[in-house]
Amino acid sequence: VDQLGYLPEGPKIVVVSSDESFGEMTLQIVDKNNNDKPVWEGTMPAATIDTYSGEWVSQADFGKLQAEGSYEAVAGGNHSDPFFIKLGVYDDLLYKVSRSYTTQRANQAIDDPVTGLKLLAGHKQDEQAKLFFEDKGQPSVLDVRGGWYDAGDFGKYMPTAAITVGQMLLAFEENPAPISVTRFLSEEEKAFWPTSSSAPDILTEIKYELDWMLRMQRGDGAVYHKVSGMAFPSFILPAEDIQDRYVYGMSSFGTAMFTAATAMGARVYEPYDKDYAAELLRRSKLAQTWLDRNPKAYFRNDEGQNSGSGPYDKSSDREERFWALAELYKTTGDSAYEEVIGKKYSDLAEKPPGIVGWGNAQLLGQWAVATAANSPSTVHDTAINAIVQAADGIVNRIGEDGYRNSLTTNDYNWGSNKNALAYGELLLLANKLKPSEAYVNGALDQLHYVLGRNAMGMSYVTGVGSRYPLKPHHRISMMSGVKVPGLLVGGPNKFGNDEALAQLVQQGVPPALSYIDDVSSYSSNEYAIDYNAPLFFVLTAFSH
Ligand code: 9MR
């Protein structure tokens, strides 16, 4: 079951699984507040084999049970984890996920009243980070303070920053309630933006990241790739990582993502801070100018840069250039952007999108052209059709999966939980274009999947549900003694990209079980800002 629970309305599906086949059986839902009294009873069909876990599974839907309360499912004498049926059952999780960005802030002391997390400000070096690559005409050190640490390590990277900010701003635009009124920042945490008292906390938090992105832009508009040390820090706290920090790399795909995210920011921050919005737009256009002058895909992989940080490399950049132009078009209404889209990127407007991720922003570009309120774009209709077509494919897969999960076999990779939620995000966007219960329920299914209705039988979000990751690869949680809640870990990864996981995978463990709750397994049990981004998006659609 989903270990948090289900909203009162809509389907509520439970999955029973076993190593052995089983026949038709009775499922009961029992009331935890009334001596386990059965309040619902139904029949589960005989088990079938689930493709990605190799288990025998059967599903039942107790959707008719709508009374708020605390329950367990009982089948064959076994009890499930407890769960709620409740309006607002995900609200606290949305709060935790929002606040998870605050506790990832780099270069700032943290004093969190809720968890007791106390951190000294780390990486003072970022104020004078060294440029690894001697760039003619550019300074040799750069002030790149601010922003969020990317993940369990202390790097800061443009692709994940931009794709995270993009999805969070999109959530704010599309599902403003209740996140626009949720307060989760202290006065001190807001102080870097004097006008922020009137702005929603979530925009203040996102601005912390955007400000760092602006610091990463060169005078000519191009944007650096990342900030990190030369070696991955051992398991220490941020303030203990005193190695030199470097600015590495430069790419056209990162510059395009920067262009798109700042163009969105210009739209969203307008009502709260006109000057800031104008500055974001100026920087966005500056980056676009660089892109126009440099039409070839470019990714500079500075020597030695991957010894202390992740590559986040992509040699092509068309999806990101498309996204950049689409957001500039949506923000400014200038048909010049639309013309370029029509001439050069109509294929991307037309092709059914994959999920949003740091390596693919196509869907965000399609979404922007599909919803731009300006002069009707020539690719408007094709973009809508493409999104809806992709959504129908996802719904079909969910219907065939034993756990109502959307992943294809190759989606069980590094960050598979993020992939599942990104499919949910796509379905919710499709639902805005062509309302369909199947899309909404399919998105909820992805949330249920990461919150416990999966082959591991665990919630993949720290501190949430009954059984969740106890040993996430997250230096702050490991070394501070405080387990930060609300962090989505990568999840099952059949490619086993770390030593511990590789050993497990070599034993022939199926994709959906290729997961280890241990700090050593960074390719299945690490948290990252871009994993929480689609979780944030989906939660904003189902909160109250
Ligand atoms: O989440 C990233 C995943 O999509 C990539 O396949 C993988 C390998 O490049 O890197 C993941 O990101 C990690 C990054 O490289 C370093 N910081 C931690 C990130 C999460 O594990």
Side-chain angles (χ1 to χ4, degrees):
V1 296
D2 181 325
Q3 294 176 19
L4 264 185
Y6 303 83
L7 295 166
E9 280 183 21
K12 296 170 197 72
I13 291 173
V14 60
V15 177
V16 170
S17 73
S18 171
D19 293 344
E20 286 156 32
S21 97
F22 56 92
E24 204 179 87
M25 66 198 288
T26 302
L27 177 85
Q28 286 187 332
I29 305 296
V30 301
D31 186 347
K32 294 309 290 170
N33 297 325
N34 193 3
N35 300 317
D36 281 3
K37 188 182 154 210
V39 288
W40 186 91
E41 195 172 293
T43 306
M44 305 191 83
T48 54
I49 284 269
D50 172 51
T51 313
Y52 298 121
S53 67
E55 295 168 337
W56 290 91
V57 297
S58 180
Q59 304 176 355
D61 182 0
F62 55 98
K64 290 231 167 68
L65 179 63
Q66 299 198 336
E68 296 207 348
S70 169
Y71 304 95
E72 279 172 15
V74 186
N78 296 309
H79 282 241
S80 73
D81 291 307
F83 60 86
F84 294 106
I85 294 179
K86 199 169 96 183
L87 201 69
V89 68
Y90 309 118
D91 292 7
D92 180 60
L93 178 54
L94 177 59
Y95 174 91
K96 288 191 171 100
V97 169
S98 305
R99 180 118 186 110
S100 73
Y101 289 97
T102 317
T103 49
Q104 280 294 114
R105 284 191 189 185
N107 319 115
Q108 206 180 68
I110 304 289
D111 187 356
D112 185 35
V114 182
T115 59
L117 178 69
K118 262 190 203 292
L119 295 176
L120 298 172
H123 301 100
K124 184 103 180 111
Q125 311 92 291
D126 288 1
E127 290 171 28
Q128 281 204 310
K130 299 177 177 174
L131 272 97
F132 186 84
F133 184 80
E134 279 177 41
D135 222 350
K136 266 228 168 94
Q138 301 298 329
S140 59
V141 295
L142 203 63
D143 181 354
V144 285
R145 72 181 81 177
W148 303 313
Y149 293 126
D150 184 60
D153 61 347
F154 302 138
K156 304 193 285 193
Y157 308 80
M158 189 53 60
T160 38
I163 208 69
T164 301
V165 164
Q167 290 174 91
M168 291 175 81
L169 292 178
L170 184 63
F172 183 83
E173 283 190 304
E174 295 303 324
N175 310 316
I179 193 59
S180 52
V181 293
T182 305
R183 293 283 165 186
F184 62 91
L185 295 177
S186 70
E187 289 309 313
E188 243 173 19
E189 287 160 352
K190 293 193 279 195
F192 74 94
W193 187 22
T195 54
S196 71
S197 54
S198 65
D201 278 5
I202 196 66
L203 291 189
T204 305
E205 192 52 53
I206 297 168
K207 184 174 183 289
Y208 195 79
E209 183 76 341
L210 272 168
D211 286 354
W212 170 74
M213 290 169 62
L214 295 180
R215 289 173 189 273
M216 294 286 281
Q217 188 176 33
R218 269 186 354 196
D220 66 351
V223 176
Y224 292 115
H225 189 53
K226 62 184 173 184
V227 178
S228 82
M230 217 170 261
F232 271 108
S234 54
F235 290 153
I236 52 177
L237 287 167
E240 294 164 356
D241 183 22
I242 54 171
Q243 62 176 319
D244 285 345
R245 298 263 282 186
Y246 292 87
V247 175
Y248 290 117
M250 215 277 285
S251 75
S252 53
F253 101 96
T255 299
M257 293 173 93
F258 170 98
T259 310
T262 47
M264 291 177 90
R267 240 174 19 236
V268 175
Y269 286 84
E270 234 281 326
Y272 307 99
D273 187 336
K274 289 206 163 25
D275 293 342
Y276 188 59
E279 177 63 4
L280 287 171
L281 188 57
R282 188 179 75 80
R283 300 292 209 97
S284 177
K285 286 180 173 173
L286 185 63
Q288 184 58 47
T289 306
W290 185 89
L291 291 167
D292 291 341
R293 287 193 189 135
N294 296 273
K296 266 180 54 191
Y298 176 76
F299 182 85
R300 199 182 77 217
N301 194 14
D302 291 346
E303 189 192 318
Q305 71 167 344
N306 297 330
S307 56
S309 51
Y312 288 120
D313 52 341
K314 191 184 180 195
S315 50
S316 62
D317 64 6
R318 291 191 72 243
E319 290 85 3
E320 290 69 31
R321 285 180 188 260
F322 168 51
W323 182 32
L325 291 164
E327 294 294 354
L328 275 169
Y329 169 58
K330 185 170 172 176
T331 297
T332 64
D334 186 341
S335 61
Y337 298 117
E338 200 275 325
E339 263 169 48
V340 184
I341 293 172
K343 263 196 220 132
K344 287 169 98 173
Y345 299 101
S346 58
D347 62 318
L348 291 181
E350 211 175 309
K351 190 175 96 178
I355 42 179
V356 173
W358 63 260
N360 188 359
Q362 184 199 349
L363 169 60
L364 297 180
Q366 287 171 308
W367 178 258
V369 291
T371 54
N374 318 310
S375 56
S377 161
T378 50
V379 292
H380 174 264
D381 292 356
T382 55
I384 291 178
N385 289 339
I387 294 172
V388 167
Q389 205 184 316
D392 290 337
I394 297 165
V395 165
N396 284 340
R397 281 210 304 278
I398 292 171
E400 282 163 13
D401 187 81
Y403 290 89
R404 305 193 65 76
N405 169 287
S406 57
L407 301 176
T408 66
T409 179
N410 284 329
D411 290 328
Y412 281 94
N413 58 18
W414 195 328
S416 67
N417 285 335
K418 167 199 71 173
N419 296 343
L421 289 162
Y423 280 119
E425 177 177 336
L426 193 159
L427 290 176
L428 290 167
L429 290 174
N431 180 60
K432 297 244 171 197
L433 302 171
K434 186 183 167 221
S436 153
E437 260 187 10
Y439 297 166
V440 177
N441 293 337
L444 270 170
D445 280 328
Q446 307 318 298
L447 193 57
H448 298 323
Y449 170 82
V450 299
L451 293 177
R453 201 182 65 195
N454 55 56
M456 292 296 300
M458 62 183 288
S459 155
Y460 287 116
V461 182
T462 59
V464 173
S466 311
R467 283 173 295 140
Y468 47 80
L470 296 175
K471 296 179 180 172
H473 181 101
H474 183 244
R475 284 171 179 71
I476 292 173
S477 296
M478 288 163 66
M479 304 314 295
S480 67
V482 170
K483 305 267 178 241
V484 179
L487 308 179
L488 179 73
V489 298
N493 173 8
K494 73 170 188 181
F495 299 102
N497 301 94
D498 58 72
E499 230 174 275
L501 193 64
Q503 275 184 20
L504 183 74
V505 169
Q506 273 156 24
Q507 291 163 21
V509 166
L513 297 171
S514 300
Y515 167 82
I516 307 175
D517 180 13
D518 192 72
V519 293
S520 62
S521 185
Y522 48 82
S523 75
S524 78
N525 209 31
E526 184 168 1
Y527 145 83
I529 54 170
D530 63 316
Y531 300 172
N532 264 28
L535 175 59
F536 176 83
F537 186 94
V538 171
L539 286 170
T540 58
F542 296 113
S543 299
H544 292 83

